[in-house]
Amino acid sequence: MTALLSASGVHAGYGHVEAVRGVSLDVPAGGVVTVIGPNGAGKTTLLAALMGLLPATGHVTYDGADLADLDVEDRVAAGLCLVPEKRELFAEMSVADNLLLGAYAHRRDRAGIARGLDDVYARFPRLAERRAQRAGTLSGGERQMLALGRALMSRPRLLMLDEPSLGLAPLIVREIFHIIAGLCETGVAILLVEQNARAALQSATYGYVLEGGEIALHGPASDLLHDPRVSATYLGGDAH
Amino acid sequence: MTTELALLLAQDGVATGAIYVLVALGIVLLFLVTRIIFVPFGDLVAYASLSLAALQAGQLPGTIWLVAVLAVLAAVFEAAGLLRAGRLNRLPRALALWLVLPLLPAALALGLAGRDIGDAAQVLLTLALILPIGPLLYRIAFRPIADAPVLVLLIVSVVLHFAISGVALLCFGPDGARPRPLTNAVVDVAGMIFPGQALLILAASLIAGVALYVFFTRSLTGRALRATALNRVGARLVGIRPGVAGVVAFLAAGLLAGLSGILIGPVTTLFYDSGFVLGLKAFVGAIIGGLVSWPGAVLGALFVGQLESFTAFYNSAFKEVVVFAVLVPVLILRSLASPAEDDEEAEEL
């Protein structure tokens, strides 16, 4: 299968501090790929670099085209979408307005926006109940749903999720992963960055382990799940 | 006080208030989209009025020199940015947008100066001259620090005010000028005399208020502009370009400032430094209304107009003192009414 997103030798960082050093990875169209690793391994930096939020060197192609010439807004229009760790919602706007703005890249297609809004409300009934409420007043789980919903409104072909389970109660985490599983059935490719390695590897088909800004290990997710090196470090050693 | 006198003072207050409404709307617009408290807004109003007066007197308006200097600076900034990013292929487009386009009205004014082109053309030319100033100032002074806290943006804004009102002294000299009114009509309603120009100002401020309210609450583009102020990263992630949003806001604000100057100038003579107090009083009105609310800005500015009119009657020496002093109780009341909002503001700073 040809890769939707293909990165090779990506370096990125903040000023002189290089947080990502020569990372290569592939995300196939419609596939779920996860990047796991400890805190500070460079996972968030990697996603920010792929999205164009940070300057990066290396070669990244998306749908066969070089990403170097595209800025963040162009990448959104091309179907690349990042749900960041901090969610980055518009706290003082209503849930409905947040979702509508998610479709900004397709703002001329009014009928399509209305359909997308219906889809999101069907997928997240909680958001439909709270559509007039200010985003800043939502609970942690609802904010994550809103962030996912806003991302879906942009009609992504590749969804990059940064720690979608961070700071959420275990029950909500299960719900979020259930939603992610539902998303990949719609054909959208997902690049999932997680500290919750077990849940991430169970959702994904392929996995990368990022350590100190470099890929330490990669392989099919089911292999990684049973790999002793992974289970000792990331799964608490009780994988079996 | 007799009823007749009170009505007369109220009428005068509405006329003054309508002036502040136009300016307050511009200040709220820029704050909503860019988080900038744009102190030089009043200066742009003065520039518009003085430019129109100069055109009517058959002179070359000094505004063209300000525009020329700003356009050259902006072009240098753009070129340097593109050079650093290694994207020199975009240079022709950048130069066309930031150098050629802003200079077009200035060149036109240079060519037409001293010729009689008619009232309407003079008004349009004035608007076209004022329009590029806002976006150019934004490009040069604010876009490089767009992520800075509100306080830093405010300090830069104050510095810009001193710079461009100083340039106004160079361009127009220390004397005030009064452009001709757009209309000399007088409307008589039940014995009360309304000058046509005051009605024009009132109509313009109400139309601008309603239009901005509808645009920002109903249209997706309006919400997108607002979103860039709430969360720049979030806005970029849904495909909104904050830089473009800032330019659009400054263009709209420039239009408001130009319109204000053209309408206000014939009513009150504006000097090169009149803009500051004008902007400050409108700012008080906007603050009374909450600084992020359109109806609030309109009502707050009208209230300031009334306050000024009535205090001027009782003791004209205190009219400015009262307008600014009223801020203290208003801010105390507002903070009591919404303590939660204040926490968020503090976080943002």
Side-chain angles (χ1 to χ4, degrees):
Chain A
M1 198 191 305
T2 55
L4 177 61
L5 180 94
S6 179
S8 63
V10 172
H11 289 256
Y14 309 86
H16 294 292
V17 185
E18 224 174 35
V20 169
R21 293 198 291 268
V23 168
S24 302
L25 59 78
D26 286 325
V27 182
V32 181
V33 171
T34 185
V35 176
I36 58 174
N39 222 349
K43 306 189 294 293
T44 297
T45 309
L46 175 63
L47 288 195
L50 291 177
M51 195 64 217
L53 287 170
L54 283 177
T57 58
H59 194 62
V60 185
T61 58
Y62 169 78
D63 202 13
D66 195 338
L67 272 186
D69 291 335
L70 302 185
D71 55 20
V72 179
E73 294 84 353
D74 293 329
R75 294 181 202 206
V76 173
L80 206 61
C81 187
L82 170 66
V83 179
E85 191 181 330
K86 291 180 188 160
R87 327 299 195 224
E88 308 287 6
L89 298 169
F90 307 117
E92 288 176 36
M93 289 187 169
S94 69
V95 168
D97 281 355
N98 269 277
L99 291 174
L100 280 177
L101 284 171
Y104 184 77
H106 311 283
R107 56 193 173 280
R108 282 180 194 92
D109 178 14
R110 285 168 178 275
I113 292 178
R115 262 200 316 279
L117 204 54
D118 289 342
D119 284 350
V120 169
Y121 284 146
R123 198 176 287 279
F124 305 99
R126 199 97 61 90
L127 294 183
E129 288 166 27
R130 305 213 186 286
R131 66 179 81 189
Q133 203 169 315
R134 270 179 34 179
T137 64
L138 298 179
S139 73
E142 288 163 350
R143 283 154 96 103
Q144 184 56 54
M145 288 178 199
L146 181 55
L148 283 170
R150 187 180 73 178
L152 290 179
M153 290 294 290
S154 75
R155 300 179 206 166
R157 293 176 60 203
L158 172 61
L159 200 51
M160 299 193 284
L161 307 177
D162 193 358
E163 305 273 4
S165 75
L166 192 75
L168 301 181
L171 260 179
I172 312 281
V173 171
R174 203 184 301 167
E175 196 178 338
I176 294 287
F177 275 100
H178 183 71
I179 290 165
I180 292 171
L183 286 182
C184 65
E185 279 166 21
T186 65
V188 57
I190 294 173
L191 179 57
L192 174 66
V193 157
E194 262 292 345
Q195 281 197 64
N196 189 340
R198 186 190 308 279
L201 288 172
Q202 280 164 351
S203 312
T205 50
Y206 203 87
Y208 294 85
V209 180
L210 195 63
E211 278 174 6
E214 291 167 9
I215 300 286
L217 208 61
H218 64 96
S222 51
D223 292 2
L224 288 182
L225 209 47
H226 298 104
D227 190 300
R229 286 168 293 179
V230 174
S231 64
T233 318
Y234 301 109
L235 305 175
D238 57 348
H240 304 290
Chain B
M1 181 186 284
T2 62
T3 319
E4 197 180 329
L5 184 59
L7 275 175
L8 220 68
L9 287 174
Q11 181 200 347
D12 186 45
V14 169
T16 319
I19 292 173
Y20 297 146
V21 169
L22 277 176
V23 180
L25 287 173
I27 289 172
V28 169
L29 166 69
L30 290 176
F31 183 73
L32 266 180
V33 180
T34 62
R35 300 180 304 126
I36 298 166
I37 295 169
F38 193 59
V39 182
F41 192 89
D43 296 316
L44 293 190
V45 176
Y47 266 92
S49 176
L50 292 167
S51 299
L52 182 59
L55 280 175
Q56 287 177 345
Q59 294 160 351
L60 189 63
T63 316
I64 64 167
W65 306 120
L66 177 70
V67 175
V69 169
L70 291 179
V72 169
L73 275 177
V76 169
F77 270 54
E78 276 290 312
L82 290 174
L83 189 67
R84 227 174 320 154
R87 288 185 171 171
L88 279 178
N89 54 335
R90 297 195 185 181
L91 191 61
R93 186 173 163 272
L95 288 185
L97 276 178
W98 292 105
L99 189 64
V100 179
L101 195 61
L103 285 179
L104 278 183
L108 202 61
L110 206 57
L112 292 175
R115 268 186 246 175
D116 187 24
I117 53 174
D119 282 356
Q122 283 167 346
V123 166
L124 287 179
L125 187 55
T126 304
L127 279 178
L129 277 173
I130 298 301
L131 219 46
I133 299 177
L136 288 171
L137 287 175
Y138 171 71
R139 174 64 192 88
I140 295 165
F142 293 112
R143 204 153 98 184
I145 53 162
D147 288 317
V150 172
L151 191 59
V152 173
L153 297 174
L154 173 63
I155 292 168
V156 171
S157 179
V158 171
V159 171
L160 277 184
H161 152 69
F162 283 115
I164 79 165
S165 73
V167 174
L169 178 60
L170 282 177
C171 290
F172 298 106
D175 299 323
R178 196 182 263 238
R180 286 193 298 272
L182 298 183
T183 169
N184 286 312
V186 170
V187 182
D188 187 332
V189 180
M192 288 181 60
I193 308 290
F194 290 94
Q197 186 79 11
L199 290 179
L200 264 186
I201 297 174
L202 191 61
S205 55
L206 293 182
I207 291 170
V210 171
L212 285 168
Y213 176 77
V214 169
F215 175 69
F216 272 90
T217 55
R218 296 279 176 270
S219 80
L220 188 60
T221 313
R223 278 179 273 218
L225 289 179
R226 172 95 181 97
T228 56
L230 292 177
N231 188 333
R232 280 174 66 84
V233 175
R236 297 198 72 192
L237 288 177
V238 297
I240 304 167
R241 291 174 195 275
V244 176
V247 170
V248 170
F250 268 91
L251 275 177
L255 190 65
L256 267 177
L259 212 59
S260 309
I262 290 162
L263 289 169
I264 298 168
V267 181
T268 29
T269 305
L270 293 178
F271 295 81
Y272 75 96
D273 62 349
S274 303
F276 184 60
V277 172
L278 183 67
L280 215 52
K281 286 182 188 165
F283 180 63
V284 170
I287 291 270
I288 291 174
L291 199 55
V292 290
S293 151
W294 304 107
V298 172
L299 293 177
L302 286 174
F303 173 72
V304 169
Q306 293 298 336
L307 202 62
E308 199 176 298
S309 169
F310 279 87
T311 42
F313 171 73
Y314 285 113
N315 189 338
S316 64
F318 276 101
K319 78 174 189 188
E320 256 133 55
V321 178
V322 171
V323 166
F324 293 125
V326 83
L327 252 191
V328 177
V330 163
L331 286 180
I332 291 174
L333 281 176
R334 288 200 71 92
S335 70
L336 288 178
S338 55
E341 302 268 341
D342 284 346
D343 289 345
E344 272 172 46
E345 286 295 312
E347 238 170 74
E348 197 186 322
L349 287 173

